[in-house]
Amino acid sequence: MRALRILLVVTVVLAAVLVVVDRVAVHIAEGEAADRLKAAEDLARTPDVSIDGFPFLTQLADGTLDEVRVGIEDYEAGTGDGARTIRIADLSADLHGVDFSTDFGSAVAAEATGTATIAYDELLKAAASESGRVGPGVTARVVGLSDGGNGKIKVAVEAAVLGVELPEPVSVLSSVTVVDGDTVRVEADAVPEFGGVEIIESAVRRITDFEQGIDGLPGGIRLDEVRAAGNGVEITVKGSDVRLVG
């Protein structure tokens, strides 16, 4: 019995040591992966990297991680025209089946899903910034975007009739969709009226409707779906064979 008790104690101690070693190893790997990703994407801040699954050392030996979670703040994405970038406030992704090299110099995920948030003031930059003619003696321009409820964007349009600005911006509810995996499109559900002046719908839509290209996301992930929310538009992203580094 004494020998059995000693054996049990040794087994428990060894198991505890292995758990500690495993957790230390995963912590080191997360830090190395974060540094590699920061360098590869030229990020201003070190991203959050979390390697899930236990034990980690077994996954390390296999060269494939079951799941890796990545979080990036203030990511500067491209807009497709090369003229400017658009800031993504929060970008998070769940990566599955990540094959990697022993020094984490390369890492490719079989699948990736995630979310991104773009603030309304960032999306507003894609709307017409200058006044445009929408009818006889009527000019208008988009001056604000906000949450319109039920997944809609409220677009505030400032207008002037015969050179006199209307006392309050006109608001219109707009639908937001993803086009071709790299573009956010905002379209008014119905065009607004400006001071009772008869106007052409297509002319108004040149002001109220707009698109924002978003490309250059990490590993080539693409836009999937989008909806309006409290502080901006929330986008789901996805991808396959996502190359993070290397």
Side-chain angles (χ1 to χ4, degrees):
M1 290 298 294
R2 183 171 180 272
L4 179 58
R5 286 197 298 270
I6 293 175
L7 179 60
L8 289 175
V9 170
V10 170
T11 301
V12 170
V13 170
L14 287 176
V17 169
L18 289 175
V19 170
V20 171
V21 170
D22 191 85
R23 294 301 88 192
V24 170
V26 75
H27 179 72
I28 294 173
E30 289 170 343
E32 181 65 23
D35 290 341
R36 293 279 187 173
L37 182 58
K38 179 182 179 182
E41 295 292 336
D42 193 25
L43 303 176
R45 300 181 183 179
T46 302
D48 292 326
V49 175
S50 175
I51 300 174
D52 293 345
F54 181 84
F56 165 70
L57 292 176
T58 301
Q59 299 178 70
L60 183 64
D62 290 340
T64 301
L65 301 176
D66 296 336
E67 183 175 2
V68 178
R69 301 178 187 273
V70 176
I72 303 174
E73 294 184 8
D74 297 332
Y75 183 82
E76 296 290 334
T79 56
D81 57 8
R84 65 181 181 86
T85 60
I86 184 169
R87 182 175 60 85
I88 298 178
D90 293 292
L91 175 62
S92 63
D94 292 337
L95 312 171
H96 301 275
V98 182
D99 292 331
F100 61 95
S101 61
T102 54
D103 63 351
F104 291 96
S106 67
V108 180
E111 295 181 348
T113 58
T115 59
T117 302
I118 300 176
Y120 286 120
D121 59 350
E122 283 291 310
L123 190 61
L124 180 61
K125 296 175 182 178
S129 59
E130 300 294 333
S131 296
R133 185 174 181 273
V134 297
V138 182
T139 58
R141 67 188 182 99
V142 175
V143 295
L145 304 176
S146 59
D147 181 17
N150 296 320
K152 303 286 186 178
I153 292 180
K154 184 166 71 173
V155 180
V157 183
E158 190 177 78
V161 179
L162 299 177
V164 179
E165 289 190 2
L166 298 182
E168 296 290 340
V170 176
S171 295
V172 57
L173 288 179
S174 298
S175 298
V176 56
T177 55
V178 168
V179 181
D180 297 330
D182 61 3
T183 302
V184 173
R185 176 180 291 169
V186 178
E187 293 181 296
D189 293 349
V191 298
E193 295 182 357
F194 302 104
V197 178
E198 184 176 348
I199 53 179
I200 301 174
E201 179 174 339
S202 60
V204 179
R205 287 192 178 278
R206 285 198 294 268
I207 301 298
T208 60
D209 298 359
F210 60 93
E211 294 184 347
Q212 173 63 72
I214 301 174
D215 61 13
L217 296 177
I221 56 176
R222 293 170 63 80
L223 312 182
D224 185 26
E225 297 178 346
V226 61
R227 70 182 302 276
N231 298 321
V233 292
E234 296 179 347
I235 300 170
T236 59
V237 298
K238 66 178 181 179
S240 57
D241 295 327
V242 176
R243 182 172 294 277
L244 297 175
V245 293

